[in-house]
Amino acid sequence: MEQIAKLDFSKISKASQIKEVCIGQEPLPLEEFIAAARYGAKVRFSKEYIERVVRSRRLVEKILDENRVVYGLTTGFGDNVRTIIPQDEAVQLQYNILRFHAVSVGEAMPEEGVRAIWLMQLLSLGMGYSGIRFEMLELIAKCLNAGVYPFAPRYGSVQALVIEAQMNLVLIGEGKAWYKGELLDGCEALERAGLAPLTPSCKEGLCLTNGSNSATALAALALYNAVIAVQTADIAAAMSYEALKGNILACDERLHSLKEHPDQSLCADNIRRLLGDSGIIRENKGKRVQDPLVLRSVPQMHGAVKCYIKDAGLNIMEEMASCSDNPILWPEGDDGVALMGANFDSTFSSGAADIISIASANLAKLLERRIDKLTNRNFSGYPAFLAENPGVDNGYMIIQYTAAGLVNEIRGLALPATADSIPTCANWEDPVSMGLLASQKAWDISQKLQYIVAIELMVTSRAFDIFKEGEGRFASATKAVHDKVREAVPPLTGDRHLTPEIERVKEMVADAEFIRTAEAYVGVLSF
């Protein structure tokens, strides 16, 4: 196996700045995966990548020439494994697997989800153990680079098959795809982009519908979103410390040295660094015996969330560096052997996605309580709901409702998906991972979490605006983040439509803008 790509948190906020990604010998770092899936970085292949794919295809040709019995090459699929397929029907078999698996339903998978799945297929199928032709993988890369992305209904999968089949119909000139904002028949979308469909060769239909690629791809998106959310939440928490005149002794390094959880200590260190030059924090140090848990437990709760995410992230990164195909074509000199097993199972990545969902729910409940403390005049000391003219103006009253509603939605989605299983294929596939469901939920949750982070940033920024003793005494980093919020959202001078503002700040959270802003003053924040 190749070396596993490590999560380098010093680079994680730089994904939007990467313009090209090379898939080669080394595992792809998460920030490069996101750069290609979300931000449209161009994809290219190394010489080594091409060579190993071509070498693996030669083994497929040898197996066919010798008419060996190999699942999916010379047999049917699933419970039809007992049926031997004549070679003159091999191509029809590959067309059939793409067509009959394409039965997902409902709304379309968002563009970044489709791009992430295709990118994950390039990683897994390009390891040199699948036997797919380089031409087919190259067509996927060309579609990614040209901005062609398939219409793939996102619901109705027990693992991945039906989503990947819907997507990859486009490669054979069928299905539907978007190109330059227009939904077209697959063949026409390719043609407008200057591309042409391919006839699927032996095993390729199976390759393109197999594996843990969808579950892993969406889990990777959820992982990235969750990392950005919790790191930005440290910044929001530091701002809440100032706005609520918190007692920084709760982040004292001596206190945290007594818990054997380095993530807790690192989080406390982040808060101290962010507030290092804050006159407000210096003046209020030790004034209150202790703060409510929304401030006092930030290092413990944020730290635990980071621990969960890092552990889950390791499993996802390991899966991203794996070949999840079946059968595996293992080379042995000029020959090789087909190994039939279950590397397509996605329990590692989808179980990690379930953990990210639970971690995100833990963080969300804390953020919402900080939002409540800031908008609640009975605790905050500010005008009711931070309004300019309380009573006539409602200020940020209902934005707290939004946060509460999102927390409730996250709780409902956080129920683990991988704990369940519904057998399929005449009970031949008896336990199934429910992997795509787990990863889709984690992906959805991670985006809802970023909205809650955005709301806390908006609320703390409003508190900064009306903090009478705050001028010139906020920490440099937190004041810069406040000013960044103000670039997108003007000060609150009366009631107005807030949804567009929430959306703008959420996009800034997702793009790691607040992390980069704070780190310009305090250096790379620990994760």
Side-chain angles (χ1 to χ4, degrees):
M1 283 295 296
E2 298 182 21
Q3 183 181 2
I4 307 303
K6 302 299 183 184
L7 282 168
D8 186 344
F9 295 103
S10 68
K11 297 179 180 178
I12 206 75
S13 64
K14 309 298 192 297
S16 63
Q17 301 167 355
I18 298 170
K19 303 304 178 186
E20 184 179 79
V21 169
C22 179
I23 306 177
Q25 286 186 300
E26 301 299 322
L28 198 66
L30 181 61
E31 65 273 10
E32 293 189 23
F33 185 90
I34 298 299
R38 176 174 297 170
Y39 295 108
K42 301 299 182 184
V43 176
R44 66 179 179 88
F45 303 112
S46 72
K47 178 182 177 183
E48 293 82 5
Y49 181 99
I50 298 170
E51 288 175 347
R52 69 194 186 209
V53 170
V54 171
R55 185 166 55 246
S56 180
R57 184 63 196 179
R58 290 196 201 106
L59 181 52
V60 170
E61 302 298 338
K62 185 175 180 63
I63 288 170
L64 291 173
D65 288 345
E66 297 175 4
N67 205 26
R68 303 183 203 173
V69 178
V70 174
Y71 174 76
L73 277 77
T74 55
T75 76
F77 307 114
D79 189 47
N80 289 330
V81 67
R82 304 172 185 83
T83 303
I84 303 301
I85 307 299
Q87 287 207 21
D88 61 355
E89 297 180 6
V91 169
Q92 187 62 46
L93 180 69
Q94 303 309 309
Y95 272 115
N96 286 351
I97 190 172
L98 287 165
R99 289 166 176 161
F100 83 77
H101 275 102
V103 290
S104 58
V105 296
E107 66 187 49
M109 178 78 70
E111 179 180 2
E112 73 169 21
V114 173
R115 290 179 61 86
I117 293 168
W118 254 352
L119 185 59
M120 191 60 235
Q121 287 194 308
L122 294 181
L123 298 181
S124 176
L125 297 174
M127 289 188 67
Y129 301 100
S130 294
I132 193 169
R133 290 173 299 162
F134 175 69
E135 291 82 357
M136 190 65 79
L137 298 178
E138 184 181 38
L139 180 56
I140 293 175
K142 286 180 176 179
C143 286
L144 288 170
N145 291 341
V148 175
Y149 70 97
F151 169 82
R154 63 182 296 195
Y155 302 124
S157 175
V158 297
Q159 178 153 300
L161 306 171
V162 297
I163 302 290
E164 293 176 356
Q166 293 275 17
M167 290 173 49
N168 289 314
L169 282 174
V170 173
L171 303 178
I172 61 172
E174 299 182 13
K176 292 183 179 294
W178 274 278
Y179 181 64
K180 294 187 175 180
E182 191 174 355
L183 184 59
L184 306 164
D185 288 337
C187 193
E188 185 177 357
L190 292 176
E191 183 180 333
R192 289 202 193 178
L195 304 173
L198 293 173
T199 298
S201 188
C202 186
K203 195 179 184 287
E204 289 186 329
L206 180 59
C207 288
L208 293 170
T209 56
N210 203 12
S212 64
N213 300 308
S214 293
T216 303
L218 301 189
L221 294 177
L223 170 63
Y224 178 81
N225 288 348
V227 168
I228 295 299
V230 70
Q231 204 71 330
T232 310
D234 278 5
I235 299 166
M239 295 176 73
S240 286
Y241 255 96
E242 285 189 293
L244 294 170
K245 301 180 181 179
N247 183 356
I248 196 62
L249 286 173
C251 294
D252 193 291
E253 59 187 321
R254 295 167 293 182
L255 174 70
H256 298 287
S257 72
L258 300 179
K259 289 289 288 282
E260 293 298 325
H261 298 303
D263 299 296
Q264 174 181 322
S265 295
L266 290 172
C267 180
D269 182 63
N270 281 349
I271 303 298
R272 293 195 305 270
R273 288 164 58 201
L274 287 161
L275 298 174
D277 61 349
S278 170
I280 297 165
I281 291 299
R282 186 169 55 252
E283 180 181 309
N284 288 280
K285 182 178 180 180
K287 273 196 172 180
R288 278 203 292 257
V289 175
Q290 63 180 21
D291 291 313
L293 284 173
V294 290
L295 294 180
R296 185 163 33 112
S297 68
V298 166
Q300 290 83 358
M301 293 188 70
H302 284 211
V305 168
K306 291 183 180 185
C307 180
Y308 299 157
I309 290 172
K310 283 197 283 191
D311 287 347
L314 177 61
N315 283 335
I316 292 167
M317 298 304 291
E318 287 175 342
E319 194 68 27
M320 287 174 66
S322 301
C323 180
S324 63
D325 202 4
N326 180 55
I328 295 298
L329 303 178
W330 188 266
E332 294 177 345
D334 293 331
D335 200 352
V337 61
L339 301 172
M340 277 68 81
N343 272 8
F344 54 80
D345 181 79
S346 66
T347 304
F348 278 104
S349 54
S350 52
D354 275 340
I355 292 170
I356 290 172
S357 295
I358 294 168
S360 298
N362 273 273
L363 181 60
K365 70 184 183 185
L366 181 63
L367 302 185
E368 184 278 326
R369 289 293 81 201
R370 289 204 295 263
I371 293 165
D372 175 74
K373 285 292 186 289
L374 284 158
T375 54
N376 186 342
R377 65 180 176 83
N378 297 306
F379 178 84
S380 70
Y382 293 111
F385 309 111
L386 303 171
E388 184 76 9
N389 184 14
V392 175
D393 297 338
N394 296 285
Y396 281 155
M397 177 196 293
I398 305 300
I399 207 172
Q400 184 266 330
Y401 287 39
T402 305
L406 289 166
V407 170
N408 219 35
E409 291 171 19
I410 288 171
R411 285 173 178 161
L413 289 169
L415 183 69
T418 51
D420 198 5
S421 178
I422 301 174
T424 56
C425 203
N427 218 35
W428 188 255
E429 296 163 355
D430 35 2
V432 294
S433 68
M434 309 305 294
L436 192 67
L437 175 60
S439 295
Q440 288 208 71
K441 290 200 298 121
W443 183 29
D444 289 344
I445 285 172
S446 68
Q447 294 173 81
K448 293 176 187 290
L449 178 62
Q450 289 185 346
Y451 278 112
I452 302 173
V453 175
I455 290 170
E456 184 177 6
L457 288 170
M458 291 174 65
V459 170
T460 53
S461 293
R462 173 59 179 161
F464 275 32
D465 291 341
I466 58 178
F467 195 142
K468 293 179 180 177
E469 315 96 59
E471 188 62 35
R473 301 172 67 236
F474 293 111
S476 300
T478 58
K479 181 61 166 61
V481 170
H482 162 273
D483 294 346
K484 178 63 71 172
V485 172
R486 285 288 163 260
E487 289 177 15
V489 177
L492 195 69
T493 57
D495 285 354
R496 61 177 184 245
H497 185 203
L498 293 177
T499 293
E501 299 180 8
I502 299 171
E503 293 288 352
R504 284 198 294 274
V505 178
K506 187 265 185 184
E507 284 307 306
M508 295 169 74
V509 171
D511 289 343
E513 288 194 40
F514 300 112
I515 296 174
R516 292 193 294 274
T517 297
E519 288 182 341
Y521 289 86
V522 300
V524 176
L525 294 169
S526 300
F527 195 102

